[in-house]
Amino acid sequence: MTDCIFCRIIAGEIPSDKIYEDDEVVAFLDIAPVNPGHVLVIPKAHYPDLLVLPEQLTVQLVMVAQKIAPAIITGVGAAGFNLTLNNGVVAGQAVGHVHLHLIPRFKDDGRELWSGQPYPAGEAAVVAEKIRKQL
Ligand code: AMP
Ligand code: ZN
């Protein structure tokens, strides 16, 4: 028996409120929603994070999110949504089975996103070059 909670949901060992399923992908309600209708979209196969997810499954995951988003929005009366992926523990990934969060948003729901700050002068070019060199 796997100790991956999402694999156990897929196997039917742990209950979930499933809203979508196909051969490769499942979507179900997050048990602790940021807003009502918060859905997790996951591949049926176990991959720990986005960096090891095969390209085809990456595409399928996003396609399913795109397909079900209108139903979520209409279903819960949302005005928009955030599509997020926490990659790695430092980024807040608690479950090591890659998943997209599809979070419905409502006007004035108070779910503020973090705010950014401009780079100091000249720093953006340095950072961009550091990244380009790794590609
Ligand atoms: P993350 O922090 O990106 O790894 O997100 C993991 C998400 O899984 C959290 O939002 C949890 O609320 C959710 N979660 C954990 N266990 C369950 C479960 N049994 N059923 C549905 N969602 C779950
Ligand atoms: Zn898993």
Side-chain angles (χ1 to χ4, degrees), residues 51-93:
L51 298 182
V52 295
L53 189 64
E55 274 182 16
Q56 186 54 39
L57 268 181
T58 305
V59 170
Q60 284 175 260
L61 220 54
V62 175
M63 283 174 62
V64 168
Q66 185 186 41
K67 183 187 183 110
I68 66 178
I72 296 170
I73 287 182
T74 305
V76 300
F81 62 90
N82 293 107
L83 183 63
T84 65
L85 185 154
N86 301 325
N87 210 81
V89 172
V90 75
Q93 184 179 5

mmCIF file of all heavy atoms in Angstrom, residues 51-93:
data_model
loop_
_atom_site.group_PDB
_atom_site.id
_atom_site.type_symbol
_atom_site.label_atom_id
_atom_site.label_comp_id
_atom_site.label_asym_id
_atom_site.label_seq_id
_atom_site.Cartn_x
_atom_site.Cartn_y
_atom_site.Cartn_z
ATOM 1 N N LEU A 51 8.629 18.964 -12.354
ATOM 2 C CA LEU A 51 9.892 18.804 -13.077
ATOM 3 C C LEU A 51 10.078 17.392 -13.625
ATOM 4 O O LEU A 51 10.873 17.197 -14.540
ATOM 5 C CB LEU A 51 11.073 19.185 -12.173
ATOM 6 C CG LEU A 51 11.057 20.644 -11.701
ATOM 7 C CD1 LEU A 51 12.288 20.936 -10.857
ATOM 8 C CD2 LEU A 51 10.976 21.599 -12.879
ATOM 9 N N VAL A 52 9.356 16.430 -13.061
ATOM 10 C CA VAL A 52 9.487 15.050 -13.547
ATOM 11 C C VAL A 52 8.224 14.572 -14.264
ATOM 12 O O VAL A 52 8.135 13.413 -14.667
ATOM 13 C CB VAL A 52 9.842 14.070 -12.403
ATOM 14 C CG1 VAL A 52 11.215 14.388 -11.844
ATOM 15 C CG2 VAL A 52 8.796 14.097 -11.299
ATOM 16 N N LEU A 53 7.264 15.461 -14.412
ATOM 17 C CA LEU A 53 6.017 15.082 -15.092
ATOM 18 C C LEU A 53 6.247 15.050 -16.602
ATOM 19 O O LEU A 53 6.725 16.028 -17.176
ATOM 20 C CB LEU A 53 4.920 16.098 -14.743
ATOM 21 C CG LEU A 53 3.492 15.761 -15.173
ATOM 22 C CD1 LEU A 53 2.977 14.506 -14.475
ATOM 23 C CD2 LEU A 53 2.566 16.945 -14.875
ATOM 24 N N PRO A 54 5.919 13.923 -17.272
ATOM 25 C CA PRO A 54 6.101 13.869 -18.724
ATOM 26 C C PRO A 54 5.311 14.982 -19.416
ATOM 27 O O PRO A 54 4.227 15.357 -18.956
ATOM 28 C CB PRO A 54 5.553 12.488 -19.094
ATOM 29 C CG PRO A 54 5.635 11.687 -17.850
ATOM 30 C CD PRO A 54 5.432 12.656 -16.720
ATOM 31 N N GLU A 55 5.871 15.473 -20.519
ATOM 32 C CA GLU A 55 5.259 16.608 -21.225
ATOM 33 C C GLU A 55 3.788 16.377 -21.543
ATOM 34 O O GLU A 55 2.947 17.264 -21.388
ATOM 35 C CB GLU A 55 6.005 16.871 -22.539
ATOM 36 C CG GLU A 55 7.194 17.767 -22.366
ATOM 37 C CD GLU A 55 7.886 18.038 -23.691
ATOM 38 O OE1 GLU A 55 7.296 17.796 -24.764
ATOM 39 O OE2 GLU A 55 9.035 18.495 -23.634
ATOM 40 N N GLN A 56 3.487 15.183 -22.032
ATOM 41 C CA GLN A 56 2.112 14.911 -22.460
ATOM 42 C C GLN A 56 1.133 15.027 -21.297
ATOM 43 O O GLN A 56 0.030 15.561 -21.432
ATOM 44 C CB GLN A 56 2.029 13.522 -23.107
ATOM 45 C CG GLN A 56 0.687 13.184 -23.707
ATOM 46 C CD GLN A 56 0.198 14.243 -24.707
ATOM 47 O OE1 GLN A 56 0.976 14.783 -25.486
ATOM 48 N NE2 GLN A 56 -1.090 14.558 -24.660
ATOM 49 N N LEU A 57 1.562 14.549 -20.119
ATOM 50 C CA LEU A 57 0.686 14.642 -18.944
ATOM 51 C C LEU A 57 0.566 16.078 -18.459
ATOM 52 O O LEU A 57 -0.483 16.486 -17.947
ATOM 53 C CB LEU A 57 1.243 13.763 -17.813
ATOM 54 C CG LEU A 57 0.730 12.332 -17.750
ATOM 55 C CD1 LEU A 57 1.353 11.595 -16.568
ATOM 56 C CD2 LEU A 57 -0.794 12.307 -17.641
ATOM 57 N N THR A 58 1.627 16.831 -18.618
ATOM 58 C CA THR A 58 1.577 18.252 -18.254
ATOM 59 C C THR A 58 0.512 18.953 -19.083
ATOM 60 O O THR A 58 -0.313 19.714 -18.563
ATOM 61 C CB THR A 58 2.949 18.911 -18.500
ATOM 62 O OG1 THR A 58 3.942 18.175 -17.785
ATOM 63 C CG2 THR A 58 2.959 20.354 -18.040
ATOM 64 N N VAL A 59 0.524 18.673 -20.360
ATOM 65 C CA VAL A 59 -0.471 19.253 -21.261
ATOM 66 C C VAL A 59 -1.879 18.812 -20.848
ATOM 67 O O VAL A 59 -2.805 19.633 -20.758
ATOM 68 C CB VAL A 59 -0.180 18.834 -22.720
ATOM 69 C CG1 VAL A 59 -1.328 19.220 -23.636
ATOM 70 C CG2 VAL A 59 1.125 19.440 -23.192
ATOM 71 N N GLN A 60 -2.017 17.528 -20.575
ATOM 72 C CA GLN A 60 -3.352 17.012 -20.216
ATOM 73 C C GLN A 60 -3.876 17.634 -18.926
ATOM 74 O O GLN A 60 -5.056 17.952 -18.809
ATOM 75 C CB GLN A 60 -3.309 15.491 -20.092
ATOM 76 C CG GLN A 60 -3.284 14.815 -21.441
ATOM 77 C CD GLN A 60 -3.121 13.318 -21.310
ATOM 78 O OE1 GLN A 60 -2.028 12.791 -21.474
ATOM 79 N NE2 GLN A 60 -4.198 12.632 -20.995
ATOM 80 N N LEU A 61 -2.977 17.816 -17.963
ATOM 81 C CA LEU A 61 -3.373 18.418 -16.686
ATOM 82 C C LEU A 61 -3.934 19.828 -16.905
ATOM 83 O O LEU A 61 -4.991 20.186 -16.382
ATOM 84 C CB LEU A 61 -2.139 18.474 -15.782
ATOM 85 C CG LEU A 61 -2.284 18.148 -14.301
ATOM 86 C CD1 LEU A 61 -2.935 16.801 -14.069
ATOM 87 C CD2 LEU A 61 -0.926 18.215 -13.612
ATOM 88 N N VAL A 62 -3.213 20.606 -17.696
ATOM 89 C CA VAL A 62 -3.656 21.983 -17.942
ATOM 90 C C VAL A 62 -4.937 21.979 -18.786
ATOM 91 O O VAL A 62 -5.846 22.793 -18.560
ATOM 92 C CB VAL A 62 -2.538 22.804 -18.616
ATOM 93 C CG1 VAL A 62 -3.038 24.197 -18.981
ATOM 94 C CG2 VAL A 62 -1.333 22.904 -17.691
ATOM 95 N N MET A 63 -5.024 21.045 -19.724
ATOM 96 C CA MET A 63 -6.239 20.980 -20.548
ATOM 97 C C MET A 63 -7.459 20.647 -19.707
ATOM 98 O O MET A 63 -8.546 21.200 -19.916
ATOM 99 C CB MET A 63 -6.064 19.948 -21.669
ATOM 100 C CG MET A 63 -5.212 20.461 -22.810
ATOM 101 S SD MET A 63 -4.864 19.185 -24.049
ATOM 102 C CE MET A 63 -6.487 18.793 -24.625
ATOM 103 N N VAL A 64 -7.284 19.752 -18.740
ATOM 104 C CA VAL A 64 -8.419 19.423 -17.860
ATOM 105 C C VAL A 64 -8.795 20.639 -17.021
ATOM 106 O O VAL A 64 -9.980 20.943 -16.848
ATOM 107 C CB VAL A 64 -8.093 18.205 -16.972
ATOM 108 C CG1 VAL A 64 -9.138 18.041 -15.878
ATOM 109 C CG2 VAL A 64 -8.015 16.944 -17.819
ATOM 110 N N ALA A 65 -7.793 21.341 -16.516
ATOM 111 C CA ALA A 65 -8.090 22.560 -15.735
ATOM 112 C C ALA A 65 -8.888 23.541 -16.584
ATOM 113 O O ALA A 65 -9.883 24.126 -16.128
ATOM 114 C CB ALA A 65 -6.794 23.190 -15.239
ATOM 115 N N GLN A 66 -8.470 23.700 -17.836
ATOM 116 C CA GLN A 66 -9.168 24.626 -18.736
ATOM 117 C C GLN A 66 -10.608 24.161 -18.989
ATOM 118 O O GLN A 66 -11.531 24.962 -19.054
ATOM 119 C CB GLN A 66 -8.413 24.713 -20.057
ATOM 120 C CG GLN A 66 -8.975 25.726 -21.026
ATOM 121 C CD GLN A 66 -8.270 25.661 -22.369
ATOM 122 O OE1 GLN A 66 -7.983 24.583 -22.878
ATOM 123 N NE2 GLN A 66 -7.989 26.817 -22.943
ATOM 124 N N LYS A 67 -10.770 22.842 -19.098
ATOM 125 C CA LYS A 67 -12.087 22.285 -19.407
ATOM 126 C C LYS A 67 -13.058 22.427 -18.238
ATOM 127 O O LYS A 67 -14.239 22.724 -18.430
ATOM 128 C CB LYS A 67 -11.894 20.791 -19.742
ATOM 129 C CG LYS A 67 -13.103 20.041 -20.165
ATOM 130 C CD LYS A 67 -12.701 18.557 -20.279
ATOM 131 C CE LYS A 67 -13.816 17.697 -20.771
ATOM 132 N NZ LYS A 67 -13.601 17.198 -22.130
ATOM 133 N N ILE A 68 -12.579 22.207 -17.018
ATOM 134 C CA ILE A 68 -13.496 22.193 -15.868
ATOM 135 C C ILE A 68 -13.666 23.568 -15.229
ATOM 136 O O ILE A 68 -14.618 23.776 -14.476
ATOM 137 C CB ILE A 68 -13.066 21.161 -14.797
ATOM 138 C CG1 ILE A 68 -11.734 21.552 -14.147
ATOM 139 C CG2 ILE A 68 -13.019 19.768 -15.396
ATOM 140 C CD1 ILE A 68 -11.284 20.590 -13.045
ATOM 141 N N ALA A 69 -12.769 24.509 -15.544
ATOM 142 C CA ALA A 69 -12.838 25.833 -14.904
ATOM 143 C C ALA A 69 -14.202 26.514 -15.103
ATOM 144 O O ALA A 69 -14.768 27.047 -14.139
ATOM 145 C CB ALA A 69 -11.710 26.727 -15.406
ATOM 146 N N PRO A 70 -14.760 26.498 -16.325
ATOM 147 C CA PRO A 70 -16.066 27.157 -16.490
ATOM 148 C C PRO A 70 -17.158 26.525 -15.624
ATOM 149 O O PRO A 70 -18.033 27.225 -15.106
ATOM 150 C CB PRO A 70 -16.367 26.981 -17.982
ATOM 151 C CG PRO A 70 -15.032 26.792 -18.617
ATOM 152 C CD PRO A 70 -14.222 26.031 -17.621
ATOM 153 N N ALA A 71 -17.114 25.195 -15.475
ATOM 154 C CA ALA A 71 -18.120 24.519 -14.648
ATOM 155 C C ALA A 71 -17.972 24.929 -13.183
ATOM 156 O O ALA A 71 -18.962 25.111 -12.465
ATOM 157 C CB ALA A 71 -17.976 23.004 -14.788
ATOM 158 N N ILE A 72 -16.725 25.075 -12.744
ATOM 159 C CA ILE A 72 -16.492 25.484 -11.352
ATOM 160 C C ILE A 72 -16.985 26.910 -11.157
ATOM 161 O O ILE A 72 -17.706 27.227 -10.208
ATOM 162 C CB ILE A 72 -15.000 25.365 -10.993
ATOM 163 C CG1 ILE A 72 -14.559 23.894 -11.052
ATOM 164 C CG2 ILE A 72 -14.726 25.952 -9.613
ATOM 165 C CD1 ILE A 72 -13.059 23.688 -10.949
ATOM 166 N N ILE A 73 -16.592 27.774 -12.080
ATOM 167 C CA ILE A 73 -16.985 29.183 -11.965
ATOM 168 C C ILE A 73 -18.501 29.326 -11.930
ATOM 169 O O ILE A 73 -19.066 29.986 -11.050
ATOM 170 C CB ILE A 73 -16.398 29.996 -13.144
ATOM 171 C CG1 ILE A 73 -14.897 30.155 -12.935
ATOM 172 C CG2 ILE A 73 -17.069 31.341 -13.268
ATOM 173 C CD1 ILE A 73 -14.226 30.980 -14.000
ATOM 174 N N THR A 74 -19.169 28.677 -12.875
ATOM 175 C CA THR A 74 -20.626 28.777 -12.925
ATOM 176 C C THR A 74 -21.253 28.064 -11.732
ATOM 177 O O THR A 74 -22.188 28.565 -11.107
ATOM 178 C CB THR A 74 -21.161 28.174 -14.239
ATOM 179 O OG1 THR A 74 -20.502 28.831 -15.328
ATOM 180 C CG2 THR A 74 -22.654 28.372 -14.380
ATOM 181 N N GLY A 75 -20.694 26.906 -11.402
ATOM 182 C CA GLY A 75 -21.259 26.102 -10.314
ATOM 183 C C GLY A 75 -21.271 26.809 -8.975
ATOM 184 O O GLY A 75 -22.222 26.680 -8.203
ATOM 185 N N VAL A 76 -20.204 27.542 -8.682
ATOM 186 C CA VAL A 76 -20.137 28.201 -7.362
ATOM 187 C C VAL A 76 -20.353 29.709 -7.466
ATOM 188 O O VAL A 76 -20.264 30.412 -6.466
ATOM 189 C CB VAL A 76 -18.804 27.901 -6.624
ATOM 190 C CG1 VAL A 76 -18.645 26.398 -6.407
ATOM 191 C CG2 VAL A 76 -17.601 28.471 -7.364
ATOM 192 N N GLY A 77 -20.591 30.189 -8.692
ATOM 193 C CA GLY A 77 -20.862 31.620 -8.868
ATOM 194 C C GLY A 77 -19.633 32.491 -8.688
ATOM 195 O O GLY A 77 -19.741 33.623 -8.192
ATOM 196 N N ALA A 78 -18.469 31.980 -9.095
ATOM 197 C CA ALA A 78 -17.236 32.760 -8.944
ATOM 198 C C ALA A 78 -17.070 33.751 -10.094
ATOM 199 O O ALA A 78 -17.742 33.646 -11.130
ATOM 200 C CB ALA A 78 -16.033 31.813 -8.897
ATOM 201 N N ALA A 79 -16.155 34.705 -9.880
ATOM 202 C CA ALA A 79 -15.911 35.739 -10.894
ATOM 203 C C ALA A 79 -14.621 35.466 -11.675
ATOM 204 O O ALA A 79 -14.388 36.052 -12.732
ATOM 205 C CB ALA A 79 -15.834 37.106 -10.225
ATOM 206 N N GLY A 80 -13.779 34.584 -11.156
ATOM 207 C CA GLY A 80 -12.507 34.248 -11.803
ATOM 208 C C GLY A 80 -11.861 33.119 -11.018
ATOM 209 O O GLY A 80 -12.498 32.506 -10.147
ATOM 210 N N PHE A 81 -10.606 32.823 -11.328
ATOM 211 C CA PHE A 81 -9.930 31.749 -10.571
ATOM 212 C C PHE A 81 -8.421 31.936 -10.636
ATOM 213 O O PHE A 81 -7.896 32.593 -11.534
ATOM 214 C CB PHE A 81 -10.311 30.364 -11.101
ATOM 215 C CG PHE A 81 -9.913 30.104 -12.530
ATOM 216 C CD1 PHE A 81 -8.682 29.544 -12.841
ATOM 217 C CD2 PHE A 81 -10.770 30.421 -13.571
ATOM 218 C CE1 PHE A 81 -8.316 29.307 -14.162
ATOM 219 C CE2 PHE A 81 -10.417 30.198 -14.890
ATOM 220 C CZ PHE A 81 -9.184 29.638 -15.191
ATOM 221 N N ASN A 82 -7.748 31.350 -9.666
ATOM 222 C CA ASN A 82 -6.286 31.217 -9.715
ATOM 223 C C ASN A 82 -5.949 29.769 -10.015
ATOM 224 O O ASN A 82 -6.556 28.851 -9.447
ATOM 225 C CB ASN A 82 -5.638 31.598 -8.375
ATOM 226 C CG ASN A 82 -5.781 33.066 -8.059
ATOM 227 O OD1 ASN A 82 -6.559 33.452 -7.197
ATOM 228 N ND2 ASN A 82 -5.047 33.891 -8.774
ATOM 229 N N LEU A 83 -4.994 29.563 -10.914
ATOM 230 C CA LEU A 83 -4.481 28.231 -11.220
ATOM 231 C C LEU A 83 -3.044 28.207 -10.724
ATOM 232 O O LEU A 83 -2.195 28.933 -11.242
ATOM 233 C CB LEU A 83 -4.535 27.987 -12.732
ATOM 234 C CG LEU A 83 -4.107 26.604 -13.214
ATOM 235 C CD1 LEU A 83 -5.033 25.523 -12.657
ATOM 236 C CD2 LEU A 83 -4.101 26.546 -14.731
ATOM 237 N N THR A 84 -2.782 27.397 -9.711
ATOM 238 C CA THR A 84 -1.450 27.434 -9.090
ATOM 239 C C THR A 84 -0.890 26.029 -8.915
ATOM 240 O O THR A 84 -1.630 25.035 -8.916
ATOM 241 C CB THR A 84 -1.486 28.123 -7.708
ATOM 242 O OG1 THR A 84 -2.283 27.333 -6.829
ATOM 243 C CG2 THR A 84 -2.077 29.510 -7.782
ATOM 244 N N LEU A 85 0.418 25.980 -8.774
ATOM 245 C CA LEU A 85 1.117 24.715 -8.521
ATOM 246 C C LEU A 85 2.252 25.028 -7.560
ATOM 247 O O LEU A 85 3.096 25.879 -7.858
ATOM 248 C CB LEU A 85 1.649 24.145 -9.845
ATOM 249 C CG LEU A 85 2.309 22.776 -9.805
ATOM 250 C CD1 LEU A 85 2.199 22.096 -11.166
ATOM 251 C CD2 LEU A 85 3.773 22.856 -9.398
ATOM 252 N N ASN A 86 2.236 24.402 -6.403
ATOM 253 C CA ASN A 86 3.316 24.572 -5.438
ATOM 254 C C ASN A 86 4.349 23.486 -5.710
ATOM 255 O O ASN A 86 4.044 22.299 -5.577
ATOM 256 C CB ASN A 86 2.776 24.469 -4.011
ATOM 257 C CG ASN A 86 1.706 25.502 -3.738
ATOM 258 O OD1 ASN A 86 1.771 26.622 -4.240
ATOM 259 N ND2 ASN A 86 0.707 25.140 -2.954
ATOM 260 N N ASN A 87 5.530 23.880 -6.123
ATOM 261 C CA ASN A 87 6.555 22.896 -6.499
ATOM 262 C C ASN A 87 7.683 22.898 -5.481
ATOM 263 O O ASN A 87 8.469 23.840 -5.430
ATOM 264 C CB ASN A 87 7.109 23.214 -7.884
ATOM 265 C CG ASN A 87 7.570 21.946 -8.605
ATOM 266 O OD1 ASN A 87 6.749 21.224 -9.170
ATOM 267 N ND2 ASN A 87 8.847 21.656 -8.563
ATOM 268 N N GLY A 88 7.740 21.839 -4.669
ATOM 269 C CA GLY A 88 8.773 21.743 -3.647
ATOM 270 C C GLY A 88 8.263 22.225 -2.295
ATOM 271 O O GLY A 88 7.399 23.092 -2.209
ATOM 272 N N VAL A 89 8.833 21.632 -1.254
ATOM 273 C CA VAL A 89 8.399 21.934 0.117
ATOM 274 C C VAL A 89 8.531 23.427 0.412
ATOM 275 O O VAL A 89 7.653 24.037 1.022
ATOM 276 C CB VAL A 89 9.229 21.098 1.123
ATOM 277 C CG1 VAL A 89 8.937 21.524 2.562
ATOM 278 C CG2 VAL A 89 8.932 19.611 0.938
ATOM 279 N N VAL A 90 9.618 24.032 -0.066
ATOM 280 C CA VAL A 90 9.852 25.445 0.218
ATOM 281 C C VAL A 90 8.778 26.333 -0.415
ATOM 282 O O VAL A 90 8.522 27.454 0.043
ATOM 283 C CB VAL A 90 11.277 25.852 -0.246
ATOM 284 C CG1 VAL A 90 11.352 25.978 -1.765
ATOM 285 C CG2 VAL A 90 11.706 27.162 0.410
ATOM 286 N N ALA A 91 8.140 25.807 -1.457
ATOM 287 C CA ALA A 91 7.077 26.560 -2.133
ATOM 288 C C ALA A 91 5.698 26.226 -1.557
ATOM 289 O O ALA A 91 4.680 26.666 -2.094
ATOM 290 C CB ALA A 91 7.106 26.277 -3.631
ATOM 291 N N GLY A 92 5.682 25.425 -0.501
ATOM 292 C CA GLY A 92 4.406 25.107 0.139
ATOM 293 C C GLY A 92 3.796 23.798 -0.320
ATOM 294 O O GLY A 92 2.631 23.523 -0.005
ATOM 295 N N GLN A 93 4.563 22.989 -1.057
ATOM 296 C CA GLN A 93 4.015 21.696 -1.501
ATOM 297 C C GLN A 93 3.998 20.727 -0.318
ATOM 298 O O GLN A 93 5.052 20.333 0.183
ATOM 299 C CB GLN A 93 4.846 21.105 -2.652
ATOM 300 C CG GLN A 93 4.230 19.817 -3.187
ATOM 301 C CD GLN A 93 5.009 19.210 -4.355
ATOM 302 O OE1 GLN A 93 6.075 19.695 -4.723
ATOM 303 N NE2 GLN A 93 4.469 18.144 -4.916
#
